[in-house]
Amino acid sequence: MKRVLIISPHFPPINAADMQRVRMSLPYFESFGWTAEVAVVNQKYSDLAKDELLLQTVPANTVIHKVKALAKQWTSKIGMGGLALRSIYHYREQISRLLASQKFDLIYFSTTQFPVCILGSYWKKKFGIPYVIDMQDPWHSTYYLDKPKSQRPPKYWFSYRLNKYLEPIAMKNVDGIVSVSGAYIETLESRYAWLKNKPSRIITFGALEQDFVIAEKNKSKLKLVYQTDPNQINLIYIGRGGYDIHPAIKLLFEEILAYKETNPAIFSRLHLHFIGTSYSANGTGVPTVAPTAKEMGLSKKVTEYTDRIGFYQSIRNLQEADGLLIVGSNDASYTASKLYPYIMAKKPLLALFHQQSEAATVIKDCNAGNLITLDHSYLAVKRIFEAYLEQVIEKKSPNTNWKEFEKYTAKSLTKKQVDLFDEVLDLKHSKHLKSKF
């Protein structure tokens, strides 16, 4: 049995999008010949929302190494609140001791706390262990360079320069790349030509049926964020906000305003809820959807809840909705991490994505809902939006192709990960043999 050490600073019960791949893969690694251990940051150092139910999906025999971090209450005073920078020293020290005492075949970084990935090069040089990086988001991104300051993330000046410096360090000696988007791989290969000769896989996030079983068993404990009313039609979006989703938001709101003119009775019953739109600590998030609704005269029809909610609470809120909304970025490489729970909720679904998004491909391949892409014509958008609302009113579930959906299950996508791991080890072995002759 081969052994992989997974570096995932966020881990259950922390409810963070970037630990979902690890959480959903852990039950399946052994069936494909790999034993996985996880190095996480002790949850006491995180201020993100927690969902204790997430722990129910982590196999009981999973070995978890808990790493310390600097306290955010002190480091934030000097502008260093990110978990990666607060934990990187402790990762280096604690995991180096682990690697010196135990044998691992591979190190797998699966996180968006990217600065810790530079330790892959350090550990490879010190212990000879190959490493793979999972690109769930862009690391060094130029997306916001031409955007006004008001649309940039907090501390963008610092993070842009830090990422520009750290990414090449991690990529110099990486042995393989996993990514949720082909665009991320293309960008990296254009920057670092040697990556074209390294194994890579496009692997989206997976779907875990057990999550819906857990949500159903705990239904009475999972609160709804919005009020249900038989006379109100609740359309729900759960996910991040941000200025990059504004083109899709505006397109959606324009269709709602147009619908008001032709179907005023139905319009009067509609209400849109945008939940968990900020990554900031609960109570401190800045709305990014509500201001657009106000500008377009839809304040009474749109409510934004910036606070994040628990993962299973999200499922409960999706299941009780009349219709679901997924609003994507104008960046083609963006993939919604909650895409599969949306599909598995079996509710009328409207997705608005960039036409080249991997998420748009999933929706089309599985016939999982109504898809509007940002290049659609006005008439096409109108037709798709009206078809979606008709399904909502008639309470029709999507005619999802569940056989096609099987390839997006957690087990299938874990197999794709270990196939990459095996390829990395095969290349290492072949290089070792060549060096002998």
Side-chain angles (χ1 to χ4, degrees):
M1 191 77 74
K2 289 160 280 191
R3 298 181 74 201
V4 58
L5 178 65
I6 303 175
I7 308 298
S8 179
H10 292 136
F11 194 73
I14 299 299
N15 182 34
D18 68 340
M19 64 82 201
Q20 296 289 6
R21 191 196 297 282
V22 174
R23 177 184 72 87
M24 293 183 182
S25 300
L26 284 173
Y28 303 108
F29 278 119
E30 286 197 7
S31 63
F32 298 122
W34 285 80
T35 298
E37 297 186 13
V38 193
V40 312
V41 174
N42 191 311
Q43 68 180 70
K44 70 180 182 180
Y45 297 104
S46 175
D47 59 2
L48 295 183
K50 297 176 178 64
D51 190 336
E52 298 294 333
L53 293 176
L54 289 165
L55 292 168
Q56 294 185 19
T57 63
V58 178
N61 64 344
T62 303
V63 177
I64 302 170
H65 306 276
K66 293 188 177 181
V67 173
K68 296 179 181 179
L70 300 174
K72 187 174 182 179
Q73 66 187 91
W74 303 113
T75 60
S76 60
K77 296 180 187 298
I78 57 171
M80 197 175 75
L83 188 62
L85 295 179
R86 291 191 289 118
S87 64
I88 192 167
Y89 170 77
H90 294 284
Y91 260 115
R92 193 187 75 167
E93 297 303 299
Q94 291 178 233
I95 301 307
S96 290
R97 290 194 292 272
L98 173 66
L99 297 176
S101 63
Q102 297 187 35
K103 180 184 181 300
F104 287 89
D105 297 284
L106 185 81
I107 298 172
Y108 182 35
F109 294 87
S110 188
T111 178
T112 55
Q113 297 298 309
F114 288 119
V116 299
C117 296
I118 65 170
L119 293 172
S121 186
Y122 172 77
W123 288 325
K124 183 177 180 179
K125 184 177 180 180
K126 190 169 183 177
F127 301 103
I129 306 172
Y131 66 99
V132 170
I133 296 177
D134 176 11
M135 299 297 295
Q136 299 184 20
D137 277 333
W139 183 350
H140 170 48
S141 173
T142 58
Y143 177 83
Y144 290 100
L145 274 182
D146 60 352
K147 306 295 186 294
K149 189 176 180 180
S150 62
Q151 294 186 17
R152 293 177 176 178
K155 301 173 187 172
Y156 178 74
W157 185 94
F158 173 75
S159 62
Y160 173 81
R161 284 155 181 79
L162 179 70
N163 294 339
K164 185 178 182 180
Y165 171 73
L166 294 183
E167 186 184 83
I169 296 174
M171 295 301 160
K172 185 176 181 180
N173 294 303
V174 72
D175 296 277
I177 298 289
V178 169
S179 178
V180 297
S181 168
Y184 296 168
I185 294 175
E186 290 174 11
T187 298
L188 290 172
E189 289 180 347
S190 69
R191 287 179 187 157
Y192 315 107
W194 59 86
L195 291 183
K196 294 178 182 178
N197 299 317
K198 302 288 185 180
S200 64
R201 295 286 192 285
I202 301 169
I203 308 176
T204 58
F205 297 106
L208 191 65
E209 280 192 36
Q210 186 185 359
D211 285 333
F212 278 76
V213 175
I214 292 171
E216 184 61 31
K217 284 183 179 178
N218 294 275
K219 190 174 180 179
S220 62
K221 304 174 189 174
L222 302 170
K223 296 180 180 179
L224 292 180
V225 174
Y226 55 93
Q227 297 294 319
T228 57
D229 180 339
N231 294 316
Q232 183 168 286
I233 299 172
N234 292 305
L235 307 181
I236 309 299
Y237 167 83
I238 302 177
R240 71 167 181 84
Y243 290 98
D244 62 320
I245 70 169
H246 274 199
I249 289 287
K250 288 191 69 175
L251 187 58
L252 173 63
F253 289 174
E254 285 169 358
E255 281 310 304
I256 288 180
L257 288 170
Y259 195 80
K260 176 184 179 181
E261 300 303 315
T262 56
N263 298 273
I266 298 298
F267 172 83
S268 68
R269 297 172 59 200
L270 292 177
H271 200 94
L272 283 66
H273 305 268
F274 292 81
I275 302 168
T277 56
S278 174
Y279 286 124
S280 300
N282 284 358
T284 65
V286 177
T288 54
V289 176
T292 302
K294 184 177 181 180
E295 288 172 13
M296 299 180 70
L298 286 170
S299 288
K300 292 182 178 179
K301 291 293 175 184
V302 175
T303 304
E304 180 177 7
Y305 315 78
T306 58
D307 287 358
R308 310 287 284 183
I309 62 175
F311 180 78
Y312 294 102
Q313 188 183 4
S314 296
I315 291 177
R316 167 96 162 99
N317 277 260
L318 293 176
Q319 290 178 312
E320 294 298 326
D322 296 298
L324 307 181
L325 303 166
I326 313 181
V327 185
S329 172
N330 61 350
D331 181 353
S333 57
Y334 171 76
T335 299
S337 61
K338 286 189 174 71
L339 176 61
Y340 300 114
Y342 269 94
I343 294 172
M344 294 171 74
K346 299 178 182 178
K347 291 284 184 173
L349 173 63
L350 178 68
L352 298 95
F353 285 119
H354 189 285
Q355 56 274 19
Q356 295 176 0
S357 167
E358 300 290 342
T361 301
V362 174
I363 295 286
K364 284 187 287 188
D365 286 352
C366 298
N367 192 38
N370 301 275
L371 174 66
I372 292 175
T373 58
L374 300 184
D375 65 342
H376 267 141
S377 68
Y378 169 78
L379 289 177
V381 172
K382 177 181 171 61
R383 174 179 53 79
I384 296 167
F385 181 75
E386 290 181 350
Y388 162 68
L389 281 186
E390 183 178 328
Q391 291 171 8
V392 170
I393 294 162
E394 296 180 2
K395 302 184 184 302
K396 283 186 177 179
S397 298
N399 188 25
T400 305
N401 183 339
W402 295 110
K403 185 173 178 59
E404 182 69 19
F405 186 75
E406 285 179 10
K407 67 183 181 184
Y408 299 111
T409 60
K411 185 175 183 178
S412 294
L413 297 182
T414 303
K415 178 64 165 59
K416 293 184 72 172
Q417 292 171 73
V418 299
D419 284 348
L420 177 79
F421 297 171
D422 289 335
E423 186 177 349
V424 167
L425 293 194
D426 287 345
L427 285 172
K428 179 188 176 184
H429 182 63
S430 63
K431 285 179 183 178
H432 179 68
L433 288 177
K434 286 179 182 179
S435 66
K436 282 189 169 184
F437 298 99

